[in-house]
Amino acid sequence: MHAALREAVRKKAGKEPTPSAAVLDSQSVQGGRPGGGKKGEAWGFDAGKKITGRKRHLVVDTLGLILAVAVHAANVPDSVGARPLLAQLGWDEFPRLETLFADQAYQGTLEAWTAEELGLWLQIVPKLEGQSTFVVLPKRWIVERTFAWLLRYRRLRSEYETTTQSSVAWIYAAMIHLMARRLAP
């Protein structure tokens, strides 16, 4: 259902049914209990953001519509957690996909792996020189907007689920709701 709605929204916006470019990023989300603790699978501490919980990885098209989702422990580095996510981007579903935009957390071996294994160009969008606060950067703002859309759903504000599969299902459910509202306001 999600894939059919995504194609319908893209067609309504005057785009091809499948994207040629996508944006990759992650978001660390605190656990549902005070202090972030929760029993269940895949919990960790993201030292960079000081959050105990899970990390949500998204690949979105240029309209901000989800192409792939992965949820894992927050202590998994972005470049490591992105590999299973990017492996979901099959040629049969996304034959036109050529370019991925990402931040500097994905720089390094992931660039070569993406080119060799997937045939995709991973373009790193660096911070501006001297940047110390939030600045809207080309292409990267698209995935940040998608994270903001998802956070409007109370169930996704914190990580309440025991399993990562349940978390992924709630993310897809929220996106299905968003796309259905775009098609029939």
Side-chain angles (χ1 to χ4, degrees):
M1 180 193 302
H2 178 266
L5 284 172
R6 182 183 58 236
E7 288 182 10
V9 170
R10 289 183 58 82
K11 286 178 186 175
K12 185 176 180 181
K15 303 270 188 180
E16 292 287 326
T18 60
S20 61
V23 188
L24 165 69
D25 203 1
S26 70
Q27 173 190 51
S28 294
V29 183
Q30 188 171 3
R33 293 190 345 208
K38 176 116 171 107
K39 291 186 178 179
E41 65 180 33
W43 290 87
F45 180 72
D46 183 349
K49 297 188 178 157
K50 309 281 190 272
I51 291 177
T52 299
R54 290 189 179 142
K55 192 175 283 188
R56 299 172 180 160
H57 260 99
L58 295 183
V59 177
V60 301
D61 66 6
T62 55
L63 295 177
L65 306 176
I66 293 176
L67 304 180
V69 177
V71 177
H72 51 79
N75 59 345
V76 176
D78 286 350
S79 59
V80 173
R83 288 183 188 214
L85 171 71
L86 294 175
Q88 295 178 34
L89 300 174
W91 285 107
D92 53 335
E93 193 174 1
F94 305 110
R96 297 179 59 242
L97 192 59
E98 297 174 348
T99 307
L100 288 168
F101 297 96
D103 63 17
Q104 292 174 327
Y106 299 96
Q107 200 165 18
T109 59
L110 187 64
E111 292 174 286
W113 180 85
T114 306
E116 292 169 11
E117 296 294 322
L118 305 175
L120 298 174
W121 177 40
L122 180 62
Q123 182 178 349
I124 303 300
V125 181
K127 287 184 178 180
L128 300 174
E129 191 174 322
Q131 176 185 344
S132 61
T133 60
F134 178 77
V135 176
V136 176
L137 296 172
K139 302 296 182 194
R140 286 200 14 220
W141 66 270
I142 297 168
V143 71
E144 298 297 341
R145 178 185 62 186
T146 302
F147 281 126
W149 289 341
L150 294 175
L151 289 177
R152 290 178 35 203
Y153 292 86
R154 187 171 46 184
R155 184 78 181 229
L156 297 175
R157 285 202 175 265
S158 290
E159 191 57 54
Y160 297 108
E161 307 308 317
T162 305
T163 65
T164 56
Q165 293 86 3
S166 183
S167 293
V168 169
W170 279 107
I171 291 168
Y172 276 121
M175 186 52 72
I176 287 169
H177 180 253
L178 286 166
M179 291 187 296
R181 290 188 60 196
R182 279 194 189 181
L183 292 171

